[in-house]
Amino acid sequence: MRNSADKFVRLRFALLFIQLFLCLTFFASSSWAIDPLPFKNREEEVRFQKLAAELRCLQCQNQNLADSDAGLARDLRNLVFEQMQSGKSDSDIKAFLIQRYGDFVIYDPPVNAETAPLWLSPFFAFAVLIGALLYRAKRSKDTGTGSTYPDPKPHKEDW
Amino acid sequence: MNLRDAKTIRWWAIIPFLLFAYLCVILYLNLKSDNDPKSVPSPFLGKSIPTFVTTDLLTGAAFDSASLKGEPYILNVWGSWCPECAREHPVLNQYAATPSAIAIIGLDHKEVDPNDGKVWLSRLGNPYRFVPVDPDGRIGIDLGVYGAPESYFVDAEGIVRYKHIGALSLATINQKVAELNREK
């Protein structure tokens, strides 16, 4: 009898915990820029928020335009909004900012001579790894030992 | 460990140590260099500086930055709200007082009240030939300014040769101006 009551309490705690977790994650997902910008409709606002999240605030470098409270971020948000109103596309607006602030202003760096090492190094590391594995596999096949690790069998000379 | 294994030297066993040493060297060098991660290279380096038209803070006359072409100059972005600019200001005064100094143009960036800028200059001294104003920060955005003070070293052709983020030192000014003159 006591056992089942215990179980019931535990279940209720678990449910409470899940509800709390859902509440917290629900609020976490909506950390949007809060300027009172006069959006024409919901669609425009969503487009603006998406664009602002893809642009870096240079004054506070680990935040995007949507998150940042810095003066520059506010100015740039207004600028992005104005350009949206005047009918510019997302790529137009990005190009406008890259021309002035460089590639650093966008979070997705383009592939060019300067960023090539950044993009290629994972593939390079992967190739080296595969090469090393193939080399080892080939060598162990040649020697016929099956492994280059020390023989796992205990030897008489072992400590 | 047995004798038979001890004799075979596995060269790849030192790779983790080499990697570790490599990391140590790279991190140490970066720590010791004056490479500031906050300083973002300007996309205008080696290109023409964007021109702008505004008014002068002190005279109220029209100012067109295109008229500066033909001589090298330093475009210094400042504001009376900016503490680092106040720290930099004596250096600019000192440089401007040297006989061979090139012109310094002081862009008064995002001044809330134009009077603040005037008071600031009368209090700390005015090293600038012109003081164009940028109250809403739009000129700053066109120049890629993201925090004052910032200084553009522009050659006689109007090409940006160097951009400095943060307060200038006299040594930096002299060195970069010498480079501007050499390229002329």
Side-chain angles (χ1 to χ4, degrees), chain B residues 8-86:
Chain B
T8 52
I9 298 163
R10 276 155 298 178
W11 61 271
W12 43 263
I14 62 164
I15 287 179
F17 297 100
L18 287 180
L19 276 176
F20 179 72
Y22 170 77
L23 266 181
C24 286
V25 169
I26 293 289
L27 292 177
Y28 180 79
L29 288 181
N30 261 306
L31 207 61
K32 284 289 151 187
S33 77
D34 44 353
N35 175 13
D36 179 6
K38 285 216 128 191
S39 140
V40 178
S42 170
F44 292 116
L45 284 181
K47 293 191 188 139
S48 292
I49 189 161
T51 56
F52 53 90
V53 178
T54 178
T55 55
D56 191 284
L57 174 75
L58 300 176
T59 64
F63 175 86
D64 183 354
S65 74
S67 67
L68 297 168
K69 213 164 177 178
E71 60 167 328
Y73 64 93
I74 302 168
L75 178 69
N76 177 249
V77 182
W78 66 281
S80 69
W81 47 269
C82 150
E84 193 68 357
C85 302

Side-chain angles (χ1 to χ4, degrees), chain A residues 58-61 71-72 74-76 78-79 82 96-104 114 135-136 139 148-151 155 157-159, chain B residues 1-5 10-12 37-44 50 81 109-110 136-138 140-148 163:
Chain A
L58 281 92
Q59 224 160 39
C60 32
Q61 291 183 357
L72 178 72
R74 198 172 48 237
D75 289 353
L76 289 180
N78 287 334
L79 187 124
E82 259 171 48
F96 177 91
L97 288 170
I98 290 168
Q99 197 197 339
R100 285 155 180 77
Y101 288 99
D103 291 335
F104 197 68
E114 213 181 332
Y135 173 75
R136 257 184 56 178
R139 208 174 61 160
T148 52
Y149 284 115
D151 202 331
H155 291 268
E157 307 94 291
D158 269 353
W159 295 348
Chain B
M1 177 69 75
N2 62 60
L3 285 173
R4 198 188 60 175
D5 281 341
R10 276 155 298 178
W11 61 271
W12 43 263
K38 285 216 128 191
S39 140
V40 178
S42 170
F44 292 116
W81 47 269
H109 183 55
K110 293 194 62 134
D136 58 4
R138 281 303 158 100
I141 289 177
D142 278 341
L143 290 167
V145 170
Y146 62 92
K163 180 184 177 188

Side-chain angles (χ1 to χ4, degrees), chain A residues 5-115:
Chain A
D6 251 15
K7 225 181 203 169
F8 184 65
V9 168
R10 260 189 238 154
L11 193 72
R12 277 188 59 175
F13 265 114
L15 274 175
L16 193 72
F17 184 77
I18 290 167
Q19 280 167 355
L20 202 69
F21 181 77
L22 285 177
C23 285
L24 290 173
T25 49
F26 178 77
F27 285 114
S29 65
S30 57
S31 64
W32 277 8
I34 45 154
D35 300 281
L37 289 169
F39 294 109
K40 275 186 295 225
N41 49 43
R42 176 77 183 156
E43 209 172 286
E44 195 186 55
E45 187 176 352
V46 170
R47 186 188 150 204
F48 173 83
Q49 296 293 359
K50 186 174 174 290
L51 191 57
E54 285 169 9
L55 295 165
R56 189 194 304 269
C57 166
L58 281 92
Q59 224 160 39
C60 32
Q61 291 183 357
N62 292 326
Q63 283 187 306
N64 60 38
L65 280 191
D67 282 339
S68 176
D69 264 339
L72 178 72
R74 198 172 48 237
D75 289 353
L76 289 180
R77 277 199 298 269
N78 287 334
L79 187 124
V80 167
F81 180 70
E82 259 171 48
Q83 296 209 348
M84 274 172 58
Q85 297 294 313
S86 64
K88 293 221 177 136
S89 73
D90 289 2
S91 56
D92 285 343
I93 297 171
K94 279 189 187 171
F96 177 91
L97 288 170
I98 290 168
Q99 197 197 339
R100 285 155 180 77
Y101 288 99
D103 291 335
F104 197 68
V105 78
I106 48 172
Y107 273 107
D108 189 13
V111 185
N112 58 32
E114 213 181 332
T115 58

Side-chain angles (χ1 to χ4, degrees), chain A residues 114-131:
Chain A
E114 213 181 332
T115 58
L118 191 70
W119 284 97
L120 296 180
S121 55
F123 297 105
F124 177 74
F126 189 67
V128 167
L129 191 76
I130 293 292

